[in-house]
């Protein structure tokens, strides 16, 4: 075999244990007992390291082309690699143009070509008036389609109304595609208080749980009526867990994600004026956070992805929560952040890998990603699960040094990241992906 990685502790499709993993041609060709495989190159992991599959982050706003000063393919993918992530799927908005037709997808692929350090897939966008473009985007290999139920924050990506959403869901049912939904109800938020000033509680009150609950109920009803697959993005309201569980028992094709910041932070600890913590939906109270962890434990929540949504410092460096951009920059630290909280609550690395690699890959139709198994891509993360570090935004690969994680102590350090059997270094070797089955 071209390469053998030998680990005293590995998380593989065959389970956790001591394994040798054999690689040829960028794919895993063997997973066997520790010490049994051989080849011209054998890499033996240190005693404190664990061999994991490369993580898969299906919720990343790269913002290129058009807003490259916010992030960009080079900086985003380098940050991903430093955080153990070997595949990202780029969101269709915050770039200009938004990815709402085949020409805009091609513009994005051209912007990324030859500049990505990890593999990159793409979501398409569903906005009013572009229903006729969805089939072409699907045939071009996007992983699915994203829509908003309220203003997205950028004018070029308007929300779908209920009638438009139902029509698009019927089309996606025919295509076998998934609709991923930013589920907050516009009317509920319009009736809430305004998020003015420096007090975090004002912002929290402006995005009540009810807004998520109402919107999620609408998505469930339409998914059930149309038979389409739907995915709830960045769940922050634990109130919705019961209806999500019931919908699944009723046979609705529904999956759900949450994000590291909802599992890490709590509203009670956010200082006034600390707009680096602003995101939509918002970080909620401690009790809500623990119920989200319970939702992961019982399987109601399928996966954890970053919702990396960066911006230039001037859009965050205001004390007014009503004016600051709503997004948390977290791509490079997402995995250690989740592992820190999971470890403290008694979860295993295998469970975290299920949430952050296996299930996101499956949800995005990337069947060779997210696991160490024969036939899968040889994408690996070498991880020291007991090593602590303090986050320093000045040392992250993100384009702009702004993050809610700055100064926070996390447990678990990514030592190296491997893409198709080669350790990621200073040269971009990532590929631009299409959904499995699309040539």
């Amino acid at each position: 075999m071209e390469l053998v990685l030998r680990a005293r502790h590995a998380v593989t499709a065959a389970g956790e244990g001591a394994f040798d993993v054999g690689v040829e041609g960028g794919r895993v060709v063997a997973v066997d007992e520790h010490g049994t495989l051989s080849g011209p190159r054998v890499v033996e992991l240190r005693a404190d390291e664990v061999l994991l599959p490369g993580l898969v982050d299906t919720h990343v706003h790269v913002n290129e082309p058009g807003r490259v000063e916010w992030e960009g393919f080079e900086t985003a993918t380098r940050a991903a690699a430093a955080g153990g992530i070997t595949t990202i799927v780029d969101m269709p908005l915050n770039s200009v143009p938004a990815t709402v037709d085949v020409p805009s997808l091609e513009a994005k692929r051209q912007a990324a070509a030859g500049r990505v350090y990890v593999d990159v897939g793409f979501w398409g966008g569903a906005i009013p008036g572009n229903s006729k473009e969805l089939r072409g985007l699907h045939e071009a290999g996007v992983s699915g389609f994203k829509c908003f139920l309220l203003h997205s924050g950028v004018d070029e990506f308007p929300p779908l109304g209920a009638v438009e959403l139902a029509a698009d869901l019927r089309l996606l049912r025919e295509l076998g595609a998934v609709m991923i939904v930013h589920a907050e109800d516009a009317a509920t938020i319009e009736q809430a208080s305004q998020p003015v000033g420096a007090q975090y509680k004002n912002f929290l009150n402006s995005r009540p749980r009810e807004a998520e609950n109402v919107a999620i109920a609408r998505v469930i009803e339409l998914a059930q009526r149309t038979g389409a697959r739907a995915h709830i993005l960045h769940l922050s309201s634990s109130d919705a867990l019961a209806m999500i569980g019931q919908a699944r028992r009723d046979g609705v094709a529904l999956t759900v994600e949450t994000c590291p910041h909802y599992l890490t932070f709590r509203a009670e600890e956010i200082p006034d004026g600390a707009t680096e913590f602003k995101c939509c939906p918002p970080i909620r109270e401690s009790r809500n956070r623990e119920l989200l962890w319970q939702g992961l434990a019982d399987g109601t929540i399928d996966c954890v992805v970053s919702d990396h949504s960066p911006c230039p410092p001037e859009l965050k460096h205001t004390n007014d929560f009503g004016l600051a951009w709503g997004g948390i920059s977290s791509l490079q630290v997402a995995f250690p952040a989740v592992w820190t909280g999971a470890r403290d609550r008694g979860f295993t690395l295998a469970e975290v890998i299920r949430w952050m690699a296996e299930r996101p890959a499956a949800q995005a139709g990337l069947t060779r990603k997210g696991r160490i198994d024969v036939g899968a891509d040889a994408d690996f993360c070498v991880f020291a699960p007991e090593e602590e570090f303090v986050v320093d935004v000045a040392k992250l690969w993100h384009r702009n040094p702004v993050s809610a994680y700055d100064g926070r102590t996390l447990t678990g350090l990514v030592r190296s990241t491997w893409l198709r059997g080669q350790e990621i270094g200073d040269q971009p070797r990532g590929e631009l992906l299409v959904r499995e089955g699309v040539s």
Side-chain angles (χ1 to χ4, degrees), residues 258-425:
T258 193
C259 302
H261 39 276
Y262 301 129
L263 300 171
T264 300
F265 304 117
R266 54 194 182 94
E268 298 91 333
E269 69 181 355
I270 297 175
D272 289 345
T275 55
E276 63 270 25
F277 290 91
K278 179 181 177 180
C279 57
C280 300
I283 295 163
R284 303 193 188 277
E285 302 83 358
S286 178
R287 174 61 177 162
N288 184 88
R289 179 185 67 179
E290 297 312 311
L291 289 172
L292 292 178
W293 279 106
Q294 182 57 45
L296 282 165
D298 64 25
T300 306
I301 300 173
D302 299 274
C303 51
V304 184
V305 292
S306 71
D307 190 9
H308 177 68
S309 186
C311 67
E314 57 268 22
L315 296 183
K316 278 291 193 185
H317 287 173
T318 168
N319 291 331
D320 191 329
F321 279 95
L323 298 177
W325 174 258
I328 289 182
S329 185
S330 61
L331 187 57
Q332 187 169 331
V333 298
F335 176 36
V338 174
W339 170 239
T340 299
R343 176 179 174 272
D344 289 346
R345 291 167 176 80
F347 293 103
T348 66
L349 267 174
E351 289 173 294
V352 176
I353 289 303
R354 193 176 309 125
W355 306 332
M356 300 191 76
E358 179 184 336
R359 287 177 179 168
Q363 189 251 338
L366 303 173
T367 60
R368 296 201 309 269
K369 301 294 187 180
R371 69 192 194 284
I372 298 176
D373 197 8
V374 173
D377 285 352
D379 298 348
F380 308 118
C381 168
V382 175
F383 188 61
E386 301 302 321
E387 185 167 342
E388 291 187 346
F389 70 100
V390 177
V391 178
D392 179 354
V393 290
K395 297 179 180 178
L396 299 179
W397 283 106
H398 306 159
R399 182 175 297 282
N400 295 298
V402 180
S403 177
Y405 291 92
D406 187 33
R408 195 171 188 93
T409 299
L410 300 179
T411 302
L413 186 68
V414 174
R415 294 263 176 85
S416 64
T417 308
W418 298 62
L419 183 66
R420 288 187 300 280
Q422 294 187 43
E423 186 173 351
I424 298 174

Side-chain angles (χ1 to χ4, degrees), residues 62 64 68 71-81 88 111-112 114-118 120 331 397-399 426-428:
V62 176
E64 188 178 6
V68 70
E71 188 61 275
F73 283 105
E74 185 173 356
T75 51
T77 58
R78 202 150 195 190
I88 67 170
R115 300 177 55 236
V116 295
Y117 288 79
V118 302
V120 178
L331 187 57
W397 283 106
H398 306 159
R399 182 175 297 282
D426 292 332
Q427 297 300 315

